[in-house]
Amino acid sequence: MEDVISKQVSTDAAAGRARRGTNQSGMRDHNERLVLSLVRQHGSLAKSDIARITGLSAQTVSVIMRELEEDGLLLRQAPQRGRIGQPSIPMALAPGGAFFIGLKIGRRSAELVLIDFLGNVRAMLQHSYRYPAPREAIGFVAEGLAKLRGALTPEEDKRIAGLGVAVPFELWSWADAAGAPRAVMEEWRDCDIRTEIQSLCDFPVYLQNDATSACGAEMVFGKTGDLSDFVYFYIGAFAGGGVVLNGRLHGGPTGNAGALGSMPVPGENGRPTQLIDVASIAVLEKMLAARGAETAHLWTSPEDWGDVGPELDIWLGRAAEALAYAIVSATAVIDFQAAVIDGWMPVAVRHRLVEAVGKAIEGIDAEGLRLPKVREGTVGIHARALGAASLPLSERFLIGAAPVSGSA
């Protein structure tokens, strides 16, 4: 699929930039995106604040904000009095200004989510399976889109700005690890999933690696504070990640930057292996299955795994050590402010994992490096689906959007 993805890099998106438009189907210009990004970051801002931060003239800011208000993207807030002169009027994002749909196709489940302009989840659908099959995934999307759009008013439906797809690149290569029939997984090699889904809807469809999308969710919706450079790990069926540099999701020329699952880490007997072979939840699943324990709840009940047993402690210890080495290795290349860890797991398990990673790092020789702070992600189990929904949001309305594959 990687070859297919590289060919999809957006001819149409470039055309979209040229035809700005005044509604949600058009690309906003740079200054409008800058204003929307600042308002999203700060919650609300007055015209004078935006002029001061951006260096744009007060007149330019006034014109931009008036147009954004007329387009239904900004809302006036209560005037702020107490200063000399006219009271300032902060402007905030309008929740119903635009809507976005995100699709996550994972190795054990698919999710479809509808969010508003603030990132609030309006609806979510989930479908679990033993392994992903193209036809089954597309059928889930077709059915799910009808349900999500059917719950919106006609005016709201017109404001759907796009659909993002988060899917593991080269999904067919994980047949053995996913325990799936090789013939079914091979179908992904020739499946142009973005085009298939584009045929189901009348708004643009974007495509991104699933772990990179989760990283994007942390950047757009998470509580990252003033972090502008961080390495991100998402622990799902398989471990992956992403990189944020200068406040921008960095995908690299092929979209594989931050492919942290492939990072070499110490394995058994000191032999090198990949992070994905140690820190993935699929590894915990195999450990449980080896003693005949039930494993379905790992995928169907990520909020509460219940009493997993001693295998969880063993897995956490090994995963933490592997993640610690991955963080130190990444820091030797880029001076990250933080290492963020999130995943398809209960909050309590994530907390234990992050604590264990912090302790494991202390035992690694990192002389010459300034190690980043290890912290928990703030988006949680649905980060990949929300990250998918953030693709059209970032591409059309924000500054610092990562390159994504095509739109129509």
Side-chain angles (χ1 to χ4, degrees):
M1 184 185 290
E2 192 167 24
D3 290 339
V4 175
I5 288 169
S6 63
K7 292 176 183 176
Q8 291 170 354
V9 175
S10 178
T11 307
D12 293 305
R17 293 184 181 90
R19 51 175 197 276
R20 173 192 175 278
T22 57
N23 57 31
Q24 280 57 54
S25 64
M27 193 76 71
R28 316 306 303 189
D29 70 20
H30 176 83
N31 285 341
E32 288 177 325
R33 291 153 67 96
L34 177 59
V35 169
L36 290 171
S37 297
L38 287 171
V39 173
R40 175 174 295 278
Q41 180 182 354
H42 293 276
S44 65
L45 285 173
K47 297 174 185 176
S48 57
D49 295 323
I50 292 176
R52 174 177 50 80
I53 294 171
T54 62
L56 296 172
S57 70
Q59 182 179 4
T60 297
V61 172
S62 181
V63 170
I64 291 172
M65 297 190 79
R66 182 171 63 250
E67 290 181 348
L68 292 174
E69 184 181 14
E70 290 174 353
D71 284 353
L73 298 174
L74 291 181
L75 286 176
R76 291 173 179 260
Q77 304 297 291
Q80 291 183 343
R81 304 182 184 279
R83 300 178 183 177
I84 299 175
Q86 295 292 325
S88 62
I89 302 176
M91 303 289 281
L93 298 180
F99 295 89
F100 312 91
I101 297 174
L103 167 67
K104 178 216 80 175
I105 299 176
R107 297 173 180 88
R108 290 291 187 271
S109 66
E111 290 178 295
L112 202 58
V113 62
L114 172 71
I115 66 172
D116 63 22
F117 203 28
L118 296 183
N120 299 316
V121 175
R122 294 296 187 95
M124 178 174 286
L125 304 171
Q126 185 176 342
H127 176 60
S128 297
Y129 39 66
R130 288 182 58 198
Y131 50 82
R135 290 301 109 195
E136 184 177 357
I138 294 167
F140 166 68
V141 176
E143 206 173 298
L145 281 175
K147 289 182 180 178
L148 295 182
R149 300 184 71 174
L152 296 175
T153 67
E155 177 59 31
E156 289 174 331
D157 187 73
K158 291 178 183 177
R159 288 181 171 267
I160 297 177
L163 183 153
V165 181
V167 61
F169 286 179
E170 296 191 2
L171 190 55
W172 60 86
S173 8
W174 304 104
D176 294 336
R182 185 167 295 277
V184 174
M185 297 303 285
E186 275 295 321
E187 293 176 14
W188 286 102
R189 190 184 294 273
D190 299 316
C191 176
D192 185 345
I193 190 66
R194 190 200 69 80
T195 300
E196 292 279 0
I197 293 174
Q198 183 64 77
S199 69
L200 301 175
C201 46
D202 52 359
F203 37 75
V205 175
Y206 300 87
L207 186 69
Q208 184 58 275
N209 175 270
D210 60 337
T212 303
S213 294
C215 182
E218 187 69 30
M219 183 183 70
V220 175
F221 303 125
K223 300 173 183 177
T224 56
D226 59 353
L227 288 183
S228 58
D229 303 282
F230 62 89
V231 60
Y232 175 91
F233 297 85
Y234 187 88
I235 311 302
F238 297 110
V243 170
V244 171
L245 298 176
N246 298 318
R248 180 183 174 89
L249 190 61
H250 182 69
T254 66
N256 273 333
L260 302 173
S262 301
M263 177 99 54
V265 297
E268 292 184 13
N269 302 318
R271 293 183 177 181
T273 187
Q274 291 192 340
L275 180 68
I276 197 172
D277 297 321
V278 183
S280 301
I281 296 176
V283 176
L284 173 60
E285 180 186 38
K286 287 183 178 179
M287 294 169 65
L288 292 171
R291 71 169 170 89
E294 175 60 44
T295 62
H297 61 288
L298 295 178
W299 317 114
T300 58
S301 304
E303 299 92 346
D304 183 7
W305 283 349
D307 184 12
V308 177
E311 289 84 1
L312 178 60
D313 297 330
I314 297 171
W315 176 76
L316 282 172
R318 293 173 180 172
E321 184 177 1
L323 284 164
Y325 272 96
I327 290 169
V328 172
S329 297
T331 305
V333 180
I334 297 175
D335 186 17
F336 290 109
Q337 296 170 286
V340 180
I341 300 174
D342 210 337
W344 185 263
M345 63 184 70
V347 172
V349 174
R350 184 183 67 192
H351 182 70
R352 288 181 61 190
L353 178 60
V354 170
E355 278 197 336
V357 171
K359 292 179 181 177
I361 283 182
E362 295 174 1
I364 299 176
D365 182 2
E367 185 176 355
L369 299 177
R370 182 176 180 179
L371 295 179
K373 180 178 177 57
V374 182
R375 54 193 285 181
E376 296 182 55
T378 58
V379 177
I381 58 176
H382 300 302
R384 289 169 295 180
L386 290 171
S390 78
L391 295 178
L393 167 60
S394 296
E395 182 72 9
R396 291 177 170 275
F397 296 102
L398 303 180
I399 293 292
V404 293
S405 297
S407 69

